[in-house]
Amino acid sequence: MAVNPAIKNESGRTSLKTDDQWVSLRYSLSYDEAFDAFLLLSARGSKRHRDITAVALIVLAALLTVLYAFYPYQLEYFFLAVLALATFGGVMYYPRIKAHAGAKRVAKARGVYKVDLSTAGRLRTADGPCLELSGDKDARAFETEALFVLRPDRQHTFCLPKRIMAEHEIDLIREVVAAHVKKFIRTGI
């Protein structure tokens, strides 16, 4: 496997060498890895933002329930409370439902994936086109303790489990992704 180590420049920052080398990865995904990847992608906001939204919706539902108790002929309070609870359910559980469905499809396929990542920020698969990591406006990447999730555009998602990588490959991929993807989020590390 060709690996291009990072070098320190005169300012002390780590930068990638200019020659374009590729890291080749071949792997299969477990249900848990696919679930984590889909959950990261389906839950758009941060955990803190979701928690604040959930608390606000619960407080709103409680307030509307109290108002309905005081004014039982005002049915709109009841329906708004039900709507607030349904929205709470959507905010909290819909991303998990979507992630479960996607992970189930991936685990059922039992595919073996081959992905090549270049130090210039390009991805290629055995049967697909060469993609830029910077992609489009929706490009983002996540790193957890167990995997990298790369989404260069809306049509392509790559889940790269760390269990198949050497430590220097993990460091290199982290540097390449940080250099080429604007929205790189490291969670649970």
Side-chain angles (χ1 to χ4, degrees):
M1 249 177 247
V3 177
N4 185 8
I7 57 171
K8 297 271 184 182
N9 60 20
E10 53 277 347
S11 66
R13 295 193 64 185
T14 303
S15 62
L16 298 171
K17 289 183 180 178
T18 56
D19 56 338
D20 190 20
Q21 294 185 4
W22 295 82
V23 175
S24 294
L25 304 170
R26 186 176 174 90
Y27 58 93
S28 60
L29 287 175
S30 69
Y31 171 84
D32 293 331
E33 291 167 338
F35 180 80
D36 289 345
F38 283 113
L39 187 60
L40 286 170
L41 292 171
S42 66
R44 282 236 176 223
S46 68
K47 182 174 176 3
R48 182 177 178 200
H49 182 261
R50 275 193 315 277
D51 290 346
I52 290 171
T53 303
V55 168
L57 287 168
I58 292 293
V59 168
L60 178 64
L63 176 67
L64 289 167
T65 303
V66 168
L67 283 172
Y68 178 66
F70 282 124
Y71 306 104
Y73 295 108
Q74 299 291 329
L75 287 177
E76 60 267 11
Y77 292 137
F78 172 75
F79 290 120
L80 288 173
V82 169
L83 181 64
L85 288 174
T87 305
F88 167 77
V91 166
M92 296 306 289
Y93 299 111
Y94 185 68
R96 296 188 75 77
I97 292 168
K98 272 181 70 175
H100 171 70
K104 193 172 164 183
R105 268 193 324 269
V106 169
K108 190 176 184 180
R110 295 179 187 232
V112 175
Y113 305 99
K114 183 180 182 310
V115 175
D116 299 324
L117 177 68
S118 80
T119 55
R122 290 192 299 271
L123 276 166
R124 70 179 174 212
T125 61
D127 57 350
C130 191
L131 302 168
E132 294 291 328
L133 271 178
S134 56
D136 61 11
K137 66 179 179 61
D138 294 319
R140 58 189 189 272
F142 298 92
E143 180 185 3
T144 67
E145 289 181 15
L147 50 94
F148 287 98
V149 180
L150 310 174
R151 185 156 195 173
D153 55 34
R154 293 183 127 185
Q155 289 83 27
H156 300 94
T157 300
F158 299 92
C159 179
L160 309 176
K162 290 182 178 178
R163 64 181 159 74
I164 64 162
M165 300 176 207
E167 193 62 38
H168 66 278
E169 289 175 322
I170 292 171
D171 294 338
L172 177 66
I173 290 173
R174 183 179 297 129
E175 289 176 22
V176 169
V177 170
H180 294 282
V181 179
K182 289 181 185 174
K183 197 172 189 178
F184 179 41
I185 301 166
R186 297 178 71 189
T187 61
I189 298 176

